Amino acid sequence: MSADLRHIDTWLFDLDNTLYPVESGFMRGIESRITDFVVKVTGLARDEAYKLQKVYLRDHGLSLTGLMLHHGVDPAEYHALFHDLSLESLARDPELVEAIGRLPGRRLIFTNADDVHARRVLARLGLDPLFDEVFHIGSFDYVPKPDPDVFRRMSAEHAVAPEATAFFEDAERNLAPAAELGMTTVLVGPHAPASTAPFVDYRTEKLAPFLRDAQVREAA
């Protein structure tokens, strides 16, 4: 059955691995540059740097947070690593463009990436004109999802009513604070069908077909 989202008037989307498929391999390029940076900052061998990178991601929600806390890394320097990353592996999906374009109400991006990266990726995907705002990592002083305070701040600053908001994410744990606030949660990606998390309302491998088939209210 299609998802009943007729109560939704705010559509909140994560960016990376949510608005494009994991299979694109784009995130591998990001991860590789992060590992190179950890090597540079710590002097560790590459395999050890990769392990530390993942420990920081697990413990803090974002590798950058661990690098800032334990190594004094400047977040602007860190994010600059990705500003010239090739977007060649990302392809515009006409079905997704159409599906997002039909959604009534506001459409927002909520990402742990910075604004430059977000705008580059959205433009490449042909989605930039469809979104009203980008709430990026710099918008909340480099505190990442899934920190609950970030969700509360985002909701307050953008007048988001959680009960009328759907949040789409590829990272399961980032949906927990959204559900706690009362948002409708949608887990996206090849891992989604196997999820048993009680705070996930809907699960879909592919975003475009899910949005295309969802029941939404008619635009005013």
Side-chain angles (χ1 to χ4, degrees), residues 42-133:
T42 65
L44 292 170
R46 186 173 177 81
D47 59 341
E48 292 300 316
Y50 180 78
K51 291 178 183 177
L52 182 63
Q53 166 186 339
K54 293 304 180 181
V55 167
Y56 287 162
L57 177 64
R58 180 197 68 202
D59 292 349
H60 302 290
L62 193 64
S63 299
L64 169 62
T65 305
L67 291 169
M68 291 172 62
L69 289 173
H70 302 293
H71 307 279
V73 163
D74 177 358
E77 178 186 3
Y78 174 88
H79 283 293
L81 297 171
F82 316 114
H83 292 171
D84 66 348
L85 192 66
S86 173
L87 303 175
E88 191 66 29
S89 63
L90 298 179
R92 183 176 303 200
D93 180 352
E95 184 182 7
L96 182 61
V97 173
E98 181 178 0
I100 291 179
R102 71 180 277 263
L103 299 176
R106 292 187 301 159
R107 310 175 200 115
L108 309 173
I109 295 294
F110 187 17
T111 177
N112 281 345
D114 77 339
D115 56 339
V116 175
H117 174 80
R119 291 299 182 186
R120 289 184 77 229
V121 170
L122 289 172
R124 173 71 179 181
L125 297 175
L127 296 172
D128 199 25
L130 301 181
F131 286 93
D132 300 287
E133 297 286 346

Side-chain angles (χ1 to χ4, degrees), residues 11 19 22 30 34-35 40 43 61 68 70 79 103 114 138 142 146 148 172 180 188 195 202 207 210-212:
W11 307 86
L19 289 180
V22 176
I30 291 177
I34 295 173
T35 306
K40 174 185 173 182
M68 291 172 62
H70 302 293
H79 283 293
L103 299 176
D114 77 339
Y142 299 99
E172 183 182 82
E180 184 68 24
V188 180
S195 169
Y202 297 102
L207 182 57
F210 177 87
L211 293 175
R212 179 197 63 210

